[in-house]
Amino acid sequence: MHWFLVIAPFNPKPVRSSLSANKHKPWIETEYQGIVMENDNTVLLNPPLFALDKDAPLHYAGEICGFRVHNGPSGSGSVQFEAVVLDRSTGEGLVRSKEPLDCESQREHSFTIQAYDCGEGPDGVNSKKSHKATVHVRVNDVNEFSPVFVERRYEASVPEGRLFDRIVRVEALDADCSPQYSQICFYDIITPNVPFAIDNDGNIKNTEPLDSKRQRVHTFWVTAFDCGKNRAQADAQVVVTVKPSCKPGWIGWTKRVEYTPGSGSIPLFPSLHLETCEETVWNIQATVELQTGHIGKGCDRDSYSDRSVRRLCGAVRGEVDLLPPPSPAANWTSALPTLPSSDSSLVFSFNGSNHVAVVPNSVVSALSGDHFTLQLWMRRGGANIQPSATQSRGNRKEEETIVCSTVKNDDSYSHYSLSVHGCRLSLFYWPDVSAARPVKFLWKLEQVCDSEWHHLSLSVQFPSVTLYVDGVTFDPALIHDNGAIPNPAPRQRMLIGACWDNITCFCTLVKFVGGYHGLLSGVTVRPGSVEPHSVVECLYACREGLDFGDLETLGSGMKVHVNPSQSVLVLEGDDIESFNRAVQQVTYRNSLRFATPGVRPLKLTTSLRCFNEESCLSLKQLEGYLVVLQPDAPQISLSGVGPHLARPAPEFEGPRGVPLFPELRIVCSLSHAVNTAAQGMEGGALMSDAVAHTLDGCEVQPLGEELNPEREELLVDMDVVRERGLDIINTTAYIAITGAESISVYEDVLRSVRYRLARGSGRFERRFRLSCSEMNGRYTSNELTLEVNFLHSLESLYHPSHLLASQQQFLHPSHHSGELSGHTLPNPHRNSVVPGAATVIIMVCVGFLVVMVILGVFRIRSIHRRGEGSRGGAKEGSNQWDDSALTIIVNPMESYESRMGISADTEGDGEEEEEEAAESPDDASDDQRIIIKKEGRDGNARRY
């Protein structure tokens, strides 16, 4: 260092010495980290707070006079903290809080600090400031708080017999700010000898399986410790309830449900409820399935013929049956195999190759026009049907044709074919085979390929086509571009079960293609207007099925869906209680009075969705069955007609004949058992209630030989039959009246049945039998037998033409056979023919003998009266004639020598012998004798 001496001129003004000039700024660190204990105010900085000044050791200029605190990011530094100078020469300082700090209120503080020197004199003139340094102060926590439980009481319920990883979790909190003192280090169960344990997270589990019978409720206390070993201020109580063992699933399931016909609707699951064992679920879906495929065509329906059902449903008449029962008048179905059916319909089987029905032109000619309704029952595949050669090779690409038809309209021909291909149903329609292009209507339906019975109704009002499958409407897809298809030949014809090949050919031998493989029934076409939807629903309607009791009581969030055939019902909801109430309202209904008895399998499938999908319950499918009991058999009683009907023969020979059943009464009653024990009677009894019923057939049948159409006939008022829409078949063997109608209608029709004889027929008696049935012959009436006697005068008996007619009837009996195809009424054995001539001879002899007996009795009574006067009254009682003991033994003929005729001489001899026998009883011949025996009061027999 070099020192220089400067000599200046004297100046009387005071001059500041250059040695105290403040040339440099103080210097401090740029950042400090501080720690302060909670509830204290001294901050320990790292590094320590020292301010340096290069002007040292000059007085004032090299000294630090103070520190200034400025607000940091939090804006509270100048308020809470201050810095003081401990040594001015060394620049040592101290940072402290103005008040004790609370860690829980604010754990960290930031602010800036700045040092300044003393300037150039005691007054601090020309002082300099250092740069601003950042100070970060952290408040160290003190373990001043104890843990506190979130809840004072914890409750849980667990089923017995199981070990759980966690039954309930307790939780405690500590208000200290630091992790060291705010964290709960461990929990402890302070109640001794309890079968529970707790981990450091507060999870309580059982150490052994719990038994509800031994102890239903377990109560114990737990405490908590923080990491500073402070115990909780108050302990927590834990209550664990042990429930009896819970098995999730349906409770109250009854495997067998019985249904009594006529009961209406009955609940299937009256006490069923779902137990989830407190598992929280947010969606429940149950599917109830009633299997009725084995009952008729998918379910229990009216057991009437298809034609009767159409009439009962209000369908317009005029339908044409394309698959009628085989008969002489409808023989195109005779080659088709049939299958038994529980209802009244006839089911035809098609094997896809040679089973084809060719409808005759006489029937097809009535089906013209582009407005028609085609209805049928269909089941693909079918039982006991051998697959065709094409199908056995696995080739299912060929369409199967159900109906193929070309009909003649006014001046053109139209063609259509209904086919199935996989799960597709198609209608190929050609409005004019000579001009128009074809249009294809296509439907994709699962019902076509599920091998179940389905009802199809196709209403065509070209260009509009409506399809109903099981009463539900389906819209078609239209395809106008069908490629190069040759025009069908303008030739009227119709096939059921296939279509013809080479449709442009007029060959006599037709090759069938596109054979249908399955079952068909009730195939009808009604030309003209189409059927309304209500009629179609009625034709398909099942009389049995699943139903829901009261939709108004359905809880919120619940949904119910039933398929058209009412065989599947789906329930969906999110609340257990509402769902259980809904399940108990699922019912089975059967509106048929005489339901088909048998077993209907039941299935209940349940699907659950839980918040915790891993632990969600899985319920197995429940299976049961519904048993429809045998209904009370109705008793159809025919009465009001005596066993004998005697009228003069001329009345039967009139143009209208004689009514056979003018006072017929038909009563249908149900017999059911009643409990007589409550009435003080032993055993049981049967009560019979008259009910209104519908008959479906009655038959009037002559017994013995069949009717001779040349000499006798049965007449029916056809106006009454047609008005009621009934069908009638009148043959020489019987009259059959069929169709579902009320009893009163059948009474009116049967009362109009008359019997007429031709003049000179020579018949003396005729016996008839009447019987009725309902439910397609399932229930039959009693057989009412009527014997008709024809009263002839003596002149008519001896008239030569009368005798000749009787001999001709005996020598040439007529035989007429006829049967009602498909009729279910019993056909009794035909009796043998009674010779007419023998009957005449017997009647003449009996009449003559009766006259002789009357004369003899009159003569004996006269003699007896004359003897009474002479004998007096004493012997009156013993000699009186007793008419009650009169016995007449007649032996008019013991041998019939000639079966070809009797000569006039023989007849004359016979008459003389009868006269001699009457005059001399003792000399009478053995061949013809009258013996009158009188048995008096004394017991002695007298002979006259």
Side-chain angles (χ1 to χ4, degrees), residues 345-550:
S345 60
L346 195 60
V347 177
F348 292 92
S349 172
F350 294 84
N351 62 357
S353 57
N354 58 345
H355 291 169
V356 180
V358 181
V359 183
N361 287 334
S362 59
V363 177
V364 181
S365 59
L367 305 177
S368 61
D370 55 0
H371 288 192
F372 61 89
T373 299
L374 174 64
Q375 296 190 20
L376 56 94
W377 286 93
M378 180 188 71
R379 179 181 177 184
R380 293 285 297 281
N384 301 326
I385 300 179
Q386 297 297 328
S388 62
T390 303
Q391 294 170 348
S392 62
R393 292 191 300 266
N395 184 6
R396 300 289 293 174
K397 296 182 179 180
E398 183 180 3
E399 289 189 345
E400 301 178 20
T401 304
I402 301 175
V403 180
C404 188
S405 172
T406 299
V407 296
K408 183 179 180 180
N409 300 323
D410 296 335
D411 54 354
S412 62
Y413 288 85
S414 62
H415 174 85
Y416 73 88
S417 63
L418 182 65
S419 306
V420 289
H421 183 201
C423 291
R424 289 177 173 84
L425 178 74
S426 62
L427 175 67
F428 188 80
Y429 190 79
W430 212 308
D432 188 351
V433 298
S434 61
R437 295 295 301 164
V439 179
K440 190 173 185 178
F441 301 87
L442 188 64
W443 297 268
K444 186 176 181 180
L445 305 170
E446 295 181 358
Q447 293 87 338
V448 177
C449 54
D450 61 358
S451 298
E452 298 292 341
W453 278 108
H454 296 284
H455 181 262
L456 274 65
S457 179
L458 195 66
S459 299
V460 178
Q461 284 181 307
F462 191 79
S464 175
V465 175
T466 304
L467 174 67
Y468 299 95
V469 179
D470 298 337
V472 180
T473 309
F474 290 89
D475 296 326
L478 300 182
I479 301 176
H480 295 277
D481 186 8
N482 294 285
I485 300 177
N487 291 11
R491 179 184 177 186
Q492 185 168 270
R493 49 187 170 176
M494 175 180 284
L495 298 180
I496 308 296
C499 198
W500 50 85
D501 193 10
N502 192 10
I503 58 178
T504 60
C505 178
F506 289 91
C507 304
T508 304
L509 183 61
V510 179
K511 180 182 178 182
F512 300 135
V513 296
Y516 172 71
H517 184 267
L519 303 178
L520 292 177
S521 178
V523 182
T524 62
V525 173
R526 186 171 65 83
S529 59
V530 298
E531 297 281 10
H533 190 193
S534 58
V535 173
V536 175
E537 288 182 340
C538 177
L539 293 176
Y540 167 74
C542 289
R543 304 306 179 192
E544 68 171 341
L546 299 173
D547 203 353
F548 191 80
D550 188 4

